[in-house]
Amino acid sequence: MMSALWIATLVTSLVCFILKYIGYSLPDSLLNKPRVQRINSLIPIALLSALVTVQSFGAENSVVIDHRLAGVAVAAVALRFGANFPTMMLLAAVVSAVIYRL
Amino acid sequence: MSLSAAPFDKRVVLRDSLAVAIPVGTYGAAFGAAAIGSGFTVLQTCLLSLLLFSGASQFAVVGVMGAGGSPLSAIATGSLLGLRNGLYGLRMAPVLSLHGIKKIIGAQLTIDESTGVALNQESRGLNASRYGFWATGIGVYFFWNLFTLIGALGAQSIGDPSAWGLDAAVPAAFLGLVWPRLIDTKSKLVGFTAAILALLLIPIAPAGVPIISTALLAIVFGWRK
């Protein structure tokens, strides 16, 4: 029996490898389409922004405001002031843990 | 590529490569911890880094599954985020001209960082560009996988991160990934509207759908210049 987590792990890995591989196997005229490039550069922005929201506010099927939002807000401020990735994540984790304990 | 025969200083390119590979690789610890917090086993977590090897896609898979999404929405979201690696491959193919087993390995190592360093080296010539690609790709692969294991074991030893209130680390990671991409008005607009759309869909759509549906915004905003 394959669990949902195993399916997600193995199938996403396979699909993403195929995507990488076909990049080396296609004619490069595809890349020259500006529309393809524009959409391709916007897709990660849309998905990652949605992931920020869902992971900050989502709880099952409801929107909640809790310690996570405080952590994310601190992360945003840290990024605004040029903090590097590990520092920003550490600050977010610590602030959310502290608020959680209050 | 008229400079292809030009000699280059390997140490300089190697330094550029490691300057990217080491800090990026250490983020693997954050991924390892996030995956364990989302219910993945240490083995699954390490396989995601070894086989998927694309940070944003990996975080998306554990994020969607951790939020209760179906495997299908995790696969779709992770794959859409992996789409850009295919376009990097298209860009890198004439630079690397790979065949056989090297093509398989090179494709697996084609990510934001290896492509970025390789393109930055183009002014130093084709060989420098190739060297930068391999040094960065192999370096990130090594450190990312090492730190994934460290993060996974560390998170496992403290138990569920959300029980400690540490769960803001996951959305913070996504924020850190999207932040450098918000470079102009259009990208900021896409990020903002995607966040709003996802928020509106959380109460009414199955888990995973609020994320994947925002890809439509990328198509709408990217359709015209």
Side-chain angles (χ1 to χ4, degrees):
Chain A
M1 262 292 280
M2 286 254 282
S3 75
L5 294 181
W6 272 114
I7 294 170
T9 299
L10 296 178
V11 178
T12 316
S13 296
L14 181 66
V15 173
C16 283
F17 175 75
I18 292 170
L19 287 171
K20 287 172 174 172
Y21 192 81
I22 58 177
Y24 285 89
S25 311
L26 290 174
D28 62 356
S29 56
L30 257 181
L31 185 67
N32 296 330
K33 288 195 169 41
R35 178 169 290 167
V36 174
Q37 283 195 315
R38 283 199 305 271
I39 293 174
N40 182 58
S41 68
L42 291 177
I43 281 178
I45 294 171
L47 294 179
L48 292 169
S49 301
L51 278 160
V52 173
T53 311
V54 169
Q55 293 285 326
S56 302
F57 297 99
E60 305 287 319
N61 262 31
S62 52
V63 174
V64 294
I65 290 177
D66 57 21
H67 59 283
R68 292 174 298 173
L69 184 58
V72 173
V74 167
V77 172
L79 286 166
R80 174 68 186 78
F81 285 97
N84 62 24
F85 201 98
T87 310
M88 173 277 294
M89 278 194 61
L90 190 67
L91 284 171
V94 168
V95 168
S96 87
V98 168
I99 304 259
Y100 185 74
R101 293 273 141 180
L102 287 179
Chain B
M1 296 295 167
S2 55
L3 295 171
S4 62
F8 68 99
D9 190 339
K10 275 190 180 170
R11 284 170 309 172
V12 174
V13 181
L14 188 62
R15 200 175 55 210
D16 285 0
S17 301
L18 291 179
V20 171
I22 294 171
V24 168
T26 59
Y27 306 169
F31 167 73
I36 297 299
S38 298
F40 285 74
T41 64
V42 174
L43 176 62
Q44 288 165 337
T45 302
C46 289
L47 283 177
L48 277 168
S49 283
L50 288 164
L51 301 176
L52 211 175
F53 189 54
S54 190
S57 298
Q58 291 179 229
F59 270 110
V61 169
V62 304
V64 171
M65 295 307 289
S70 68
L72 190 65
S73 58
I75 293 162
T77 307
S79 300
L80 267 176
L81 283 166
L83 203 57
R84 69 186 188 290
N85 293 326
L87 288 145
Y88 292 156
L90 222 48
R91 179 69 178 79
M92 292 308 298
V95 178
L96 300 172
S97 55
L98 301 171
H99 303 281
I101 187 79
K102 275 190 113 176
K103 186 169 164 184
I104 292 173
I105 298 169
Q108 178 67 344
L109 297 179
T110 301
I111 51 170
D112 295 320
E113 292 80 14
S114 53
T115 308
V117 170
L119 298 182
N120 285 345
Q121 302 298 329
E122 277 191 328
S123 61
R124 295 191 173 116
L126 189 59
N127 288 332
S129 199
R130 286 180 179 166
Y131 190 82
F133 173 86
W134 290 108
T136 310
I138 293 167
V140 174
Y141 196 81
F142 176 78
F143 288 108
W144 178 258
N145 279 288
L146 175 68
F147 279 95
T148 296
L149 179 63
I150 292 170
L153 293 176
Q156 199 185 38
S157 68
I158 66 161
D160 180 5
S162 62
W164 293 74
L166 294 168
D167 40 356
V170 180
F174 288 120
L175 190 65
L177 289 169
V178 75
W179 196 271
R181 299 173 196 272
L182 302 175
I183 44 169
D184 54 21
T185 312
K186 183 175 260 187
S187 56
K188 285 174 188 165
L189 194 60
V190 169
F192 182 72
T193 52
I196 298 294
L197 178 63
L199 195 62
L200 293 175
L201 288 175
I202 288 171
I204 54 174
V209 173
I211 300 160
I212 193 86
S213 58
T214 59
L216 287 173
L217 291 170
I219 295 170
V220 170
F221 283 100
W223 200 259
R224 286 177 193 287
K225 207 173 174 182

